[in-house]
């Protein structure tokens, strides 16, 4: 029996059978995410450079801002999931989030270097992402059978990562063509974000109306489920030991003394690995259960921390970026596929919002803590502390997430269609 029937937080290998096509909803949402990620990653690629080197923020200040704006989406994520579940308004809520993020690029353009304006624009971007993520993932989760969710999320994340791959390239091209004019990056990002909103309106169907539900604070219905709680505990614990890509890229930049124009290219290696591995990782998770790939991805992240403890050279950089690609391919969509079938359809968006909120709050602690450790102890001791914390979180999560149940014997031998 699959997770949706057993209530287990993981799934055994699915019986052999004909493969299903990826639903059109997944492909349409993938296209929206691709275009939106081109927009958002253009800004993300230059933001650490802009804030730390351009405006002179310390690592502590940058870590606080980065973690705070990610953690500040907590209540908004819950609200977005709640509104999406009530009446099945997943598309409408996702639209509001995508539009808010697109408008935040205009805010960066108009801020003109003012710290308050930049902070407000970053907050709007994170709020928009918080609003849209749970309804979007719920649409993916509800679009097909549970036994193919790993592949469906893998396809979506691969398309999403294509945008993440193109975004830094676009930022690099704009900076090169405009002699490091950050305003030009923000303007192009704004126009691209509006295109993503248009694609959502035209090509993504609305979810089927959900039955009305009683109001329960903080989605207590999801938190009552022991399988969901185990997933939430493990994801939050691992999130608290995740220091964030921006810090890893800053460590690389300082180790190699990269010129500012090359800094936006650093995320390309991780994005390439994620793009190549997202679909295979999802299909493997459908076959062997989602627990092992999820934990193996965090083991790859631990490997990236360990490599950065060595002297930084170009082979070191290649290894770190490759391990980051493995980390995201094995964890991002796999976690949603792990948690989705545990939740009933009429609470799917709200439950996923609780899970995403737990991760966001945990990563707030991780980012702020690492920034403080770097500022007061130096980058070496801070990275050692992060590595030890992640190793401990992995050991604990291995116990929290139970192993999948043995696969049932198939009724008859049917070869899987190619």
């Amino acid at each position: 029996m699959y997770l949706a029937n057993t209530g287990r937080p993981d799934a055994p290998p699915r019986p052999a059978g004909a493969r299903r096509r990826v639903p059109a909803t997944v492909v349409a949402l993938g296209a929206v995410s691709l275009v939106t990620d081109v927009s958002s990653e253009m800004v993300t690629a230059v933001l650490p450079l802009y804030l730390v080197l351009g405006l002179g923020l310390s690592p502590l200040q940058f870590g606080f801002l980065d973690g705070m704006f990610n953690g500040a989406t907590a209540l908004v994520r819950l609200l977005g999931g709640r509104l999406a579940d009530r009446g099945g308004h997943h598309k409408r809520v996702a639209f509001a989030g995508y539009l808010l993020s697109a408008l935040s690029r205009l805010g960066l353009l108009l801020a003109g270097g003012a710290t308050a304006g930049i902070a407000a624009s970053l907050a709007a971007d994170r709020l928009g992402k918080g609003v849209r993520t749970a309804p979007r993932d719920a649409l993916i989760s509800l679009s097909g059978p549970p036994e193919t969710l790993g592949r469906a999320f893998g396809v979506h994340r691969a398309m999403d990562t294509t945008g993440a791959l193109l975004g830094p390239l676009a930022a690099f091209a704009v900076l090169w063509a405009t002699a490091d004019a950050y305003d030009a990056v923000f303007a192009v990002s704004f126009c691209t974000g509006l295109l993503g909103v248009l694609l959502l309106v035209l090509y993504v169907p609305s979810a089927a109306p959900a039955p009305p539900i009683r109001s329960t604070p903080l989605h207590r219905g999801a938190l009552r489920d022991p399988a969901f709680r185990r997933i939430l505990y493990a994801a939050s614990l691992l999130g608290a030991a995740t220091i964030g890509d921006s810090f890893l890229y800053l460590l690389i930049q300082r180790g190699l003394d990269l010129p500012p124009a090359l800094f936006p290219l650093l995320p390309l290696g991780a994005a390439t690995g994620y793009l190549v591995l997202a679909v295979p990782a999802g299909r493997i998770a459908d076959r062997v259960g989602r627990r092992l790939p999820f934990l193996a991805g965090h083991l790859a992240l631990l490997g990236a921390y360990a490599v950065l403890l060595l002297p930084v050279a170009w082979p070191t950089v290649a290894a770190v970026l490759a391990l980051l690609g493995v980390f995201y391919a094995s964890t991002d969509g796999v976690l949603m596929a792990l948690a989705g079938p545990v939740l009933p359809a009429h609470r799917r968006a709200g439950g996923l919002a609780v899970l995403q909120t737990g991760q966001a709050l945990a990563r707030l602690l991780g980012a702020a803590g690492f920034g403080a450790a770097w500022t007061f102890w130096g980058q070496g001791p801070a990275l050692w502390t992060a590595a030890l914390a992640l190793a401990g979180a992995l050991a604990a999560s291995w116990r929290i997430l139970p192993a999948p149940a043995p696969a049932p014997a198939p009724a008859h031998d049917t070869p899987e269609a190619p």
Side-chain angles (χ1 to χ4, degrees):
M1 299 293 286
Y2 192 74
L3 175 59
N5 296 326
T6 63
R8 294 292 302 275
D10 203 353
R14 64 184 176 93
R19 285 182 190 164
R20 298 173 176 86
R21 288 186 176 181
V22 175
T25 297
V26 175
V27 178
L29 284 169
V32 173
S33 293
L34 188 156
V35 174
T36 302
D37 252 32
V38 172
S39 171
S40 63
E41 292 301 322
M42 286 183 69
V43 174
T44 301
V46 302
L47 198 59
L49 200 65
Y50 182 53
L51 295 179
V52 175
L53 299 185
L55 300 183
L57 270 65
S58 70
L60 174 60
Q61 291 171 317
F62 173 72
F64 179 76
L65 280 176
D66 187 58
M68 181 183 68
F69 287 131
N70 280 294
T73 62
L75 293 178
V76 179
R77 287 175 189 265
L78 295 176
L79 179 62
R82 183 64 151 207
L83 293 175
D85 280 338
R86 297 186 70 85
H89 298 308
H90 299 78
K91 180 179 176 179
R92 294 182 187 178
V93 178
F95 166 79
Y98 279 108
L99 182 61
L100 182 58
S101 289
L103 294 176
S104 74
R105 322 286 188 240
L106 183 60
L108 285 171
L109 181 63
L110 299 176
T115 304
I118 292 172
S121 299
L122 292 178
D125 176 51
R126 299 304 195 272
L127 292 176
K129 185 174 182 179
V131 166
R132 72 177 185 252
T133 301
R136 181 204 65 197
D137 284 349
L139 281 170
I140 297 172
S141 180
L142 294 168
S143 66
E147 63 268 18
T148 63
L149 284 184
R151 181 166 177 252
F153 275 103
V155 168
H156 174 267
R157 295 319 198 244
M159 297 180 71
D160 182 272
T161 307
T162 301
L165 188 64
L166 296 176
L169 282 175
F172 172 76
V174 172
L175 286 177
W176 179 80
T178 60
D180 297 340
Y182 291 102
D183 284 353
V185 175
F186 301 150
V188 175
S189 173
F190 168 64
C191 296
T192 308
L194 287 183
L195 176 60
V197 174
L198 181 63
L199 290 175
L200 176 74
V201 172
L202 294 178
Y203 295 108
V204 176
S206 300
I213 59 173
R214 293 183 178 179
S215 177
T216 55
L218 296 177
H219 301 281
R220 194 168 54 196
L223 294 175
R224 284 174 176 169
D225 186 280
F228 179 77
R229 287 202 306 270
R230 290 197 294 270
I231 297 171
L232 176 62
Y233 296 157
S236 300
L237 185 62
L238 291 166
T242 302
I243 64 177
D245 297 353
S246 297
F247 278 120
L248 298 183
Y249 298 147
L250 283 172
L251 288 169
I252 291 172
Q253 191 272 336
R254 293 195 173 193
L256 293 178
D257 195 23
L258 286 178
L262 294 180
F263 186 84
L265 299 180
L266 286 178
L268 296 183
T272 301
Y274 190 6
L275 172 63
V276 171
L277 297 175
V279 175
R283 294 175 68 173
I284 290 172
D286 284 340
R287 291 179 177 274
V288 306
R290 283 109 196 209
R291 170 182 178 262
L292 286 178
F294 180 67
L295 295 175
H298 285 87
L299 187 62
L301 181 63
L302 179 60
Y305 293 179
V307 170
L308 277 175
L309 289 168
L310 303 173
V312 178
W314 283 111
T316 304
V317 174
V320 170
L321 298 181
L323 289 167
L324 278 177
V326 174
F327 164 64
Y328 282 113
S330 303
T331 58
D332 188 14
V334 171
L335 177 61
M336 296 298 103
L338 173 63
V342 173
L343 301 162
H346 65 280
R347 294 190 184 275
R348 188 70 52 88
L352 293 180
V354 171
L355 180 59
Q356 293 158 3
T357 295
Q359 275 195 313
L361 292 176
R363 287 175 177 176
L364 164 63
L365 297 176
F370 183 79
W374 186 351
T375 300
F376 296 115
W377 302 341
Q379 64 185 47
L383 194 55
W384 269 109
T385 302
L388 292 174
L390 182 55
L394 266 170
S397 298
W398 177 268
R399 300 298 301 270
I400 293 171
L401 292 175
H412 55 84
D413 295 331
T414 303
E416 187 172 353

